[in-house]
Amino acid sequence: MAHVMRGAGFAALALSVALFAGCSDSSSDQAASAQPQGGGAPQSTLERVKVSGTVRIGYANEAPYAYLDSATNEVTGEAVEIARVVLKRMGVEKIEGVLTEFGSLIPGLQANRFDIVAAGMYVTPERCKQVLFSNPTYGVGEGFLVQKGNPKGLHSYDDVKNDASARLGVVVGAIEAEYAQKVGIPSSQVVVFPDAVSALAGVEGGRADAYAATALTINDLMTKVTNQNLEKAEPFTDPVIDGQDVRGYGAFAFRQSDTDFAQAFDRELAEFIGSPEHAKLVEPFGFTKSELPGDVTASQLCGG
C-alpha cells in the first residue's frame, strides 16, 4: 500500500481514498456498451475501447499490484503498468481507475462499472465461474504481518488453527479467507477487513494477531510502514490445500461476454510477459524472475 502511515495518517489516507473513489465513480456510471451513431447493434467492449481510446480498470488499492500513488495522484502498480503497455499495443491509450473494495471487484465488473479488473487477482476455479481471466502475470506464495516479536508464534495457517486464541486478519473477498476455511480455521478466529490498510491497523491495534496476504503484499507493506512494532513473520510455511502447497497466480479479469476482448489482450500479454521490457517495468514493485508464471495458463488454473 502506498505510503502506509500510523496514527492520524491512517485517517488521512482513508479520506484521500474516499475522495478518489468518489471521483472515479462519476466516470464509471457510463454504460458498458455504446450504441453506434446511426443505430445498429451495440458495440462490443473491445470495439468501444478501441474507438474511444479509453478503458476503465477496477482496482482495490493494494500495493504492489494496483494502488493510488499519492505523490502523483495516479493509479500504478504491477497490474496497472502491465495493462498500460498491453492496452497501448492494442490501440487504447488512456486508463481510468475505478477504486473498489476487493470483494466488490467482480460484482463491479459484472455491473459494468469498469471494463477490466487489474488488481493482481488470483485465478481460482470459483472465480472462473464468474469471469474470464487472462493468463497469469505472476506466481507467488503467502505471508503474515505480525506484531514485533510475533507474540503468538504464528508462522503458518496451521499455527493459527492450533491456537484458539489467535485471530487472523484477511481482506474481504481475498483468497486468504478461503485458505483459512480450507485449512480448518474457525470463522470465529477470522477478522475480515475492507482493505490492506485497515488490516495493518488491525494488527497494530491488536484486533488481529496476524494479517494474511501474498508475500509480495507483505514485503511492500514492510518497505512503507513507519510503525517499528510490526514485522513480517519469518520463517513462513505456505498452506497445503487439497494436498498441494499453495502458490497463487494473479491475472486480469474480464466479463464472460467479452471473449474477444480477453483473447486480444492475452495475445499481446503473451508477447510481453518474460521479456526484458516486462522485467524492467515490474522490478520497482518487487517482482523478479522468481515470480514469473512460467507455462501456467488460466485454463489450467480454472480446472480446464
Side-chain angles (χ1 to χ4, degrees), residues 220-253:
D220 185 81
L221 283 172
M222 292 309 303
T223 67
K224 296 178 172 63
V225 67
T226 58
N227 184 352
Q228 300 302 312
N229 292 322
L230 298 175
E231 66 182 26
K232 180 181 179 181
E234 293 182 313
F236 185 82
T237 303
D238 282 326
V240 176
I241 307 295
D242 298 327
Q244 295 185 342
D245 290 337
V246 167
R247 183 173 176 83
Y249 291 86
F252 298 91

mmCIF file of all heavy atoms in Angstrom, residues 220-253:
data_model
loop_
_atom_site.group_PDB
_atom_site.id
_atom_site.type_symbol
_atom_site.label_atom_id
_atom_site.label_comp_id
_atom_site.label_asym_id
_atom_site.label_seq_id
_atom_site.Cartn_x
_atom_site.Cartn_y
_atom_site.Cartn_z
ATOM 1 N N ASP A 220 5.878 -5.379 0.464
ATOM 2 C CA ASP A 220 5.663 -3.978 0.116
ATOM 3 C C ASP A 220 5.242 -3.172 1.340
ATOM 4 O O ASP A 220 5.712 -2.049 1.551
ATOM 5 C CB ASP A 220 4.608 -3.873 -0.980
ATOM 6 C CG ASP A 220 4.426 -2.447 -1.465
ATOM 7 O OD1 ASP A 220 5.245 -2.003 -2.294
ATOM 8 O OD2 ASP A 220 3.493 -1.766 -1.003
ATOM 9 N N LEU A 221 4.368 -3.730 2.153
ATOM 10 C CA LEU A 221 3.942 -3.028 3.359
ATOM 11 C C LEU A 221 5.126 -2.733 4.273
ATOM 12 O O LEU A 221 5.225 -1.647 4.854
ATOM 13 C CB LEU A 221 2.905 -3.866 4.112
ATOM 14 C CG LEU A 221 1.486 -3.881 3.550
ATOM 15 C CD1 LEU A 221 0.640 -4.897 4.287
ATOM 16 C CD2 LEU A 221 0.849 -2.499 3.631
ATOM 17 N N MET A 222 6.036 -3.689 4.382
ATOM 18 C CA MET A 222 7.173 -3.519 5.282
ATOM 19 C C MET A 222 8.149 -2.452 4.788
ATOM 20 O O MET A 222 8.921 -1.908 5.566
ATOM 21 C CB MET A 222 7.906 -4.846 5.486
ATOM 22 C CG MET A 222 7.094 -5.879 6.265
ATOM 23 S SD MET A 222 6.403 -5.242 7.822
ATOM 24 C CE MET A 222 7.872 -4.688 8.680
ATOM 25 N N THR A 223 8.126 -2.135 3.494
ATOM 26 C CA THR A 223 9.002 -1.067 2.989
ATOM 27 C C THR A 223 8.399 0.308 3.229
ATOM 28 O O THR A 223 9.100 1.313 3.148
ATOM 29 C CB THR A 223 9.261 -1.216 1.474
ATOM 30 O OG1 THR A 223 8.028 -0.998 0.751
ATOM 31 C CG2 THR A 223 9.812 -2.580 1.149
ATOM 32 N N LYS A 224 7.117 0.355 3.556
ATOM 33 C CA LYS A 224 6.434 1.636 3.690
ATOM 34 C C LYS A 224 5.942 1.941 5.096
ATOM 35 O O LYS A 224 5.720 3.091 5.449
ATOM 36 C CB LYS A 224 5.252 1.699 2.719
ATOM 37 C CG LYS A 224 5.681 1.659 1.251
ATOM 38 C CD LYS A 224 4.489 1.677 0.327
ATOM 39 C CE LYS A 224 4.919 1.835 -1.123
ATOM 40 N NZ LYS A 224 5.737 0.713 -1.605
ATOM 41 N N VAL A 225 5.737 0.920 5.906
ATOM 42 C CA VAL A 225 5.194 1.148 7.242
ATOM 43 C C VAL A 225 6.221 1.853 8.120
ATOM 44 O O VAL A 225 7.413 1.559 8.085
ATOM 45 C CB VAL A 225 4.757 -0.191 7.881
ATOM 46 C CG1 VAL A 225 5.947 -1.086 8.171
ATOM 47 C CG2 VAL A 225 3.961 0.049 9.153
ATOM 48 N N THR A 226 5.743 2.822 8.900
ATOM 49 C CA THR A 226 6.627 3.561 9.804
ATOM 50 C C THR A 226 6.566 3.010 11.222
ATOM 51 O O THR A 226 7.362 3.404 12.072
ATOM 52 C CB THR A 226 6.244 5.049 9.834
ATOM 53 O OG1 THR A 226 4.878 5.178 10.252
ATOM 54 C CG2 THR A 226 6.419 5.667 8.449
ATOM 55 N N ASN A 227 5.640 2.108 11.480
ATOM 56 C CA ASN A 227 5.496 1.541 12.819
ATOM 57 C C ASN A 227 6.523 0.433 13.024
ATOM 58 O O ASN A 227 6.453 -0.616 12.395
ATOM 59 C CB ASN A 227 4.074 0.984 12.986
ATOM 60 C CG ASN A 227 3.810 0.468 14.387
ATOM 61 O OD1 ASN A 227 4.719 0.385 15.217
ATOM 62 N ND2 ASN A 227 2.564 0.131 14.665
ATOM 63 N N GLN A 228 7.455 0.670 13.922
ATOM 64 C CA GLN A 228 8.513 -0.307 14.174
ATOM 65 C C GLN A 228 8.038 -1.494 15.006
ATOM 66 O O GLN A 228 8.803 -2.408 15.288
ATOM 67 C CB GLN A 228 9.689 0.384 14.877
ATOM 68 C CG GLN A 228 10.296 1.512 14.064
ATOM 69 C CD GLN A 228 10.794 1.039 12.714
ATOM 70 O OE1 GLN A 228 11.489 0.042 12.613
ATOM 71 N NE2 GLN A 228 10.424 1.764 11.652
ATOM 72 N N ASN A 229 6.757 -1.487 15.395
ATOM 73 C CA ASN A 229 6.223 -2.584 16.189
ATOM 74 C C ASN A 229 5.594 -3.682 15.334
ATOM 75 O O ASN A 229 4.951 -4.580 15.864
ATOM 76 C CB ASN A 229 5.175 -2.056 17.184
ATOM 77 C CG ASN A 229 5.795 -1.181 18.257
ATOM 78 O OD1 ASN A 229 6.898 -1.457 18.736
ATOM 79 N ND2 ASN A 229 5.107 -0.112 18.627
ATOM 80 N N LEU A 230 5.776 -3.604 14.018
ATOM 81 C CA LEU A 230 5.248 -4.612 13.111
ATOM 82 C C LEU A 230 6.384 -5.255 12.331
ATOM 83 O O LEU A 230 7.410 -4.636 12.080
ATOM 84 C CB LEU A 230 4.247 -3.984 12.136
ATOM 85 C CG LEU A 230 2.998 -3.346 12.741
ATOM 86 C CD1 LEU A 230 2.173 -2.671 11.656
ATOM 87 C CD2 LEU A 230 2.162 -4.375 13.483
ATOM 88 N N GLU A 231 6.197 -6.522 11.949
ATOM 89 C CA GLU A 231 7.216 -7.216 11.174
ATOM 90 C C GLU A 231 6.581 -8.325 10.354
ATOM 91 O O GLU A 231 5.424 -8.720 10.580
ATOM 92 C CB GLU A 231 8.298 -7.799 12.092
ATOM 93 C CG GLU A 231 7.800 -8.911 13.010
ATOM 94 C CD GLU A 231 8.894 -9.428 13.934
ATOM 95 O OE1 GLU A 231 9.831 -8.683 14.224
ATOM 96 O OE2 GLU A 231 8.782 -10.598 14.370
ATOM 97 N N LYS A 232 7.352 -8.842 9.412
ATOM 98 C CA LYS A 232 6.939 -9.995 8.623
ATOM 99 C C LYS A 232 7.266 -11.260 9.401
ATOM 100 O O LYS A 232 8.349 -11.374 9.988
ATOM 101 C CB LYS A 232 7.678 -9.992 7.289
ATOM 102 C CG LYS A 232 7.335 -11.153 6.368
ATOM 103 C CD LYS A 232 8.138 -11.067 5.076
ATOM 104 C CE LYS A 232 7.825 -12.230 4.151
ATOM 105 N NZ LYS A 232 8.610 -12.174 2.895
ATOM 106 N N ALA A 233 6.333 -12.204 9.439
ATOM 107 C CA ALA A 233 6.570 -13.464 10.142
ATOM 108 C C ALA A 233 7.573 -14.304 9.362
ATOM 109 O O ALA A 233 7.317 -14.677 8.213
ATOM 110 C CB ALA A 233 5.263 -14.230 10.309
ATOM 111 N N GLU A 234 8.700 -14.577 9.978
ATOM 112 C CA GLU A 234 9.733 -15.393 9.344
ATOM 113 C C GLU A 234 10.273 -16.423 10.323
ATOM 114 O O GLU A 234 10.504 -16.081 11.486
ATOM 115 C CB GLU A 234 10.869 -14.506 8.828
ATOM 116 C CG GLU A 234 10.441 -13.598 7.688
ATOM 117 C CD GLU A 234 11.577 -12.749 7.154
ATOM 118 O OE1 GLU A 234 12.305 -12.146 7.972
ATOM 119 O OE2 GLU A 234 11.722 -12.692 5.925
ATOM 120 N N PRO A 235 10.437 -17.665 9.885
ATOM 121 C CA PRO A 235 10.068 -18.188 8.557
ATOM 122 C C PRO A 235 8.560 -18.298 8.406
ATOM 123 O O PRO A 235 7.815 -18.112 9.375
ATOM 124 C CB PRO A 235 10.729 -19.559 8.548
ATOM 125 C CG PRO A 235 10.708 -19.984 9.986
ATOM 126 C CD PRO A 235 10.965 -18.722 10.771
ATOM 127 N N PHE A 236 8.119 -18.637 7.201
ATOM 128 C CA PHE A 236 6.690 -18.825 6.958
ATOM 129 C C PHE A 236 6.487 -20.043 6.074
ATOM 130 O O PHE A 236 7.221 -20.257 5.109
ATOM 131 C CB PHE A 236 6.069 -17.600 6.285
ATOM 132 C CG PHE A 236 4.575 -17.718 6.125
ATOM 133 C CD1 PHE A 236 3.734 -17.416 7.176
ATOM 134 C CD2 PHE A 236 4.020 -18.164 4.927
ATOM 135 C CE1 PHE A 236 2.355 -17.558 7.048
ATOM 136 C CE2 PHE A 236 2.650 -18.309 4.793
ATOM 137 C CZ PHE A 236 1.819 -17.999 5.867
ATOM 138 N N THR A 237 5.480 -20.834 6.413
ATOM 139 C CA THR A 237 5.159 -22.040 5.653
ATOM 140 C C THR A 237 3.826 -21.855 4.941
ATOM 141 O O THR A 237 2.805 -21.581 5.591
ATOM 142 C CB THR A 237 5.070 -23.272 6.568
ATOM 143 O OG1 THR A 237 6.308 -23.432 7.272
ATOM 144 C CG2 THR A 237 4.775 -24.524 5.763
ATOM 145 N N ASP A 238 3.816 -21.972 3.617
ATOM 146 C CA ASP A 238 2.571 -21.830 2.856
ATOM 147 C C ASP A 238 1.586 -22.929 3.231
ATOM 148 O O ASP A 238 1.987 -24.061 3.548
ATOM 149 C CB ASP A 238 2.853 -21.911 1.354
ATOM 150 C CG ASP A 238 3.422 -20.617 0.791
ATOM 151 O OD1 ASP A 238 3.031 -19.542 1.281
ATOM 152 O OD2 ASP A 238 4.262 -20.682 -0.123
ATOM 153 N N PRO A 239 0.297 -22.614 3.186
ATOM 154 C CA PRO A 239 -0.702 -23.643 3.499
ATOM 155 C C PRO A 239 -0.737 -24.736 2.439
ATOM 156 O O PRO A 239 -0.391 -24.502 1.275
ATOM 157 C CB PRO A 239 -2.018 -22.851 3.523
ATOM 158 C CG PRO A 239 -1.761 -21.675 2.642
ATOM 159 C CD PRO A 239 -0.318 -21.315 2.855
ATOM 160 N N VAL A 240 -1.134 -25.918 2.838
ATOM 161 C CA VAL A 240 -1.316 -27.036 1.915
ATOM 162 C C VAL A 240 -2.819 -27.208 1.703
ATOM 163 O O VAL A 240 -3.556 -27.502 2.648
ATOM 164 C CB VAL A 240 -0.700 -28.329 2.465
ATOM 165 C CG1 VAL A 240 -0.997 -29.503 1.537
ATOM 166 C CG2 VAL A 240 0.808 -28.159 2.653
ATOM 167 N N ILE A 241 -3.263 -26.988 0.478
ATOM 168 C CA ILE A 241 -4.686 -27.070 0.144
ATOM 169 C C ILE A 241 -4.884 -28.197 -0.854
ATOM 170 O O ILE A 241 -4.224 -28.242 -1.899
ATOM 171 C CB ILE A 241 -5.198 -25.744 -0.466
ATOM 172 C CG1 ILE A 241 -4.866 -24.559 0.447
ATOM 173 C CG2 ILE A 241 -6.693 -25.837 -0.739
ATOM 174 C CD1 ILE A 241 -5.572 -24.581 1.780
ATOM 175 N N ASP A 242 -5.776 -29.111 -0.537
ATOM 176 C CA ASP A 242 -6.051 -30.253 -1.416
ATOM 177 C C ASP A 242 -4.767 -31.008 -1.765
ATOM 178 O O ASP A 242 -4.563 -31.444 -2.902
ATOM 179 C CB ASP A 242 -6.755 -29.791 -2.696
ATOM 180 C CG ASP A 242 -8.106 -29.149 -2.408
ATOM 181 O OD1 ASP A 242 -8.768 -29.585 -1.440
ATOM 182 O OD2 ASP A 242 -8.492 -28.221 -3.142
ATOM 183 N N GLY A 243 -3.877 -31.111 -0.775
ATOM 184 C CA GLY A 243 -2.655 -31.889 -0.950
ATOM 185 C C GLY A 243 -1.528 -31.173 -1.661
ATOM 186 O O GLY A 243 -0.480 -31.776 -1.907
ATOM 187 N N GLN A 244 -1.705 -29.885 -1.987
ATOM 188 C CA GLN A 244 -0.666 -29.153 -2.703
ATOM 189 C C GLN A 244 -0.299 -27.866 -1.976
ATOM 190 O O GLN A 244 -1.175 -27.193 -1.417
ATOM 191 C CB GLN A 244 -1.129 -28.812 -4.128
ATOM 192 C CG GLN A 244 -1.357 -30.035 -5.002
ATOM 193 C CD GLN A 244 -1.687 -29.652 -6.433
ATOM 194 O OE1 GLN A 244 -2.060 -28.531 -6.709
ATOM 195 N NE2 GLN A 244 -1.535 -30.601 -7.351
ATOM 196 N N ASP A 245 1.017 -27.546 -1.992
ATOM 197 C CA ASP A 245 1.443 -26.263 -1.456
ATOM 198 C C ASP A 245 0.820 -25.150 -2.284
ATOM 199 O O ASP A 245 0.745 -25.223 -3.506
ATOM 200 C CB ASP A 245 2.971 -26.134 -1.506
ATOM 201 C CG ASP A 245 3.655 -27.053 -0.505
ATOM 202 O OD1 ASP A 245 2.993 -27.444 0.479
ATOM 203 O OD2 ASP A 245 4.833 -27.380 -0.717
ATOM 204 N N VAL A 246 0.393 -24.120 -1.594
ATOM 205 C CA VAL A 246 -0.287 -23.018 -2.277
ATOM 206 C C VAL A 246 0.719 -22.100 -2.972
ATOM 207 O O VAL A 246 1.698 -21.666 -2.390
ATOM 208 C CB VAL A 246 -1.119 -22.189 -1.273
ATOM 209 C CG1 VAL A 246 -1.557 -20.868 -1.895
ATOM 210 C CG2 VAL A 246 -2.326 -22.978 -0.822
ATOM 211 N N ARG A 247 0.468 -21.830 -4.228
ATOM 212 C CA ARG A 247 1.149 -20.770 -4.957
ATOM 213 C C ARG A 247 0.100 -20.091 -5.803
ATOM 214 O O ARG A 247 -0.518 -20.722 -6.658
ATOM 215 C CB ARG A 247 2.286 -21.310 -5.829
ATOM 216 C CG ARG A 247 3.087 -20.202 -6.553
ATOM 217 C CD ARG A 247 4.298 -20.775 -7.261
ATOM 218 N NE ARG A 247 5.031 -19.770 -8.038
ATOM 219 C CZ ARG A 247 5.936 -18.929 -7.528
ATOM 220 N NH1 ARG A 247 6.206 -18.979 -6.227
ATOM 221 N NH2 ARG A 247 6.559 -18.044 -8.299
ATOM 222 N N GLY A 248 -0.147 -18.822 -5.519
ATOM 223 C CA GLY A 248 -1.205 -18.104 -6.205
ATOM 224 C C GLY A 248 -0.711 -17.482 -7.497
ATOM 225 O O GLY A 248 0.441 -17.052 -7.600
ATOM 226 N N TYR A 249 -1.588 -17.437 -8.495
ATOM 227 C CA TYR A 249 -1.257 -16.846 -9.790
ATOM 228 C C TYR A 249 -2.248 -15.723 -10.079
ATOM 229 O O TYR A 249 -3.460 -15.951 -10.109
ATOM 230 C CB TYR A 249 -1.311 -17.904 -10.890
ATOM 231 C CG TYR A 249 -0.201 -18.927 -10.780
ATOM 232 C CD1 TYR A 249 -0.334 -20.058 -9.974
ATOM 233 C CD2 TYR A 249 1.004 -18.751 -11.460
ATOM 234 C CE1 TYR A 249 0.692 -20.982 -9.855
ATOM 235 C CE2 TYR A 249 2.032 -19.677 -11.357
ATOM 236 C CZ TYR A 249 1.862 -20.789 -10.545
ATOM 237 O OH TYR A 249 2.895 -21.707 -10.427
ATOM 238 N N GLY A 250 -1.704 -14.512 -10.273
ATOM 239 C CA GLY A 250 -2.553 -13.349 -10.492
ATOM 240 C C GLY A 250 -2.729 -13.026 -11.962
ATOM 241 O O GLY A 250 -1.819 -13.212 -12.775
ATOM 242 N N ALA A 251 -3.912 -12.498 -12.304
ATOM 243 C CA ALA A 251 -4.224 -12.207 -13.701
ATOM 244 C C ALA A 251 -5.256 -11.090 -13.781
ATOM 245 O O ALA A 251 -5.741 -10.586 -12.769
ATOM 246 C CB ALA A 251 -4.746 -13.465 -14.395
ATOM 247 N N PHE A 252 -5.606 -10.731 -15.005
ATOM 248 C CA PHE A 252 -6.646 -9.734 -15.270
ATOM 249 C C PHE A 252 -7.973 -10.454 -15.482
ATOM 250 O O PHE A 252 -8.003 -11.565 -16.003
ATOM 251 C CB PHE A 252 -6.301 -8.918 -16.510
ATOM 252 C CG PHE A 252 -5.026 -8.132 -16.382
ATOM 253 C CD1 PHE A 252 -3.811 -8.683 -16.783
ATOM 254 C CD2 PHE A 252 -5.025 -6.859 -15.842
ATOM 255 C CE1 PHE A 252 -2.628 -7.972 -16.665
ATOM 256 C CE2 PHE A 252 -3.846 -6.143 -15.706
ATOM 257 C CZ PHE A 252 -2.642 -6.699 -16.111
ATOM 258 N N ALA A 253 -9.066 -9.789 -15.091
ATOM 259 C CA ALA A 253 -10.386 -10.394 -15.237
ATOM 260 C C ALA A 253 -11.249 -9.575 -16.186
ATOM 261 O O ALA A 253 -11.193 -8.337 -16.192
ATOM 262 C CB ALA A 253 -11.077 -10.504 -13.880
#
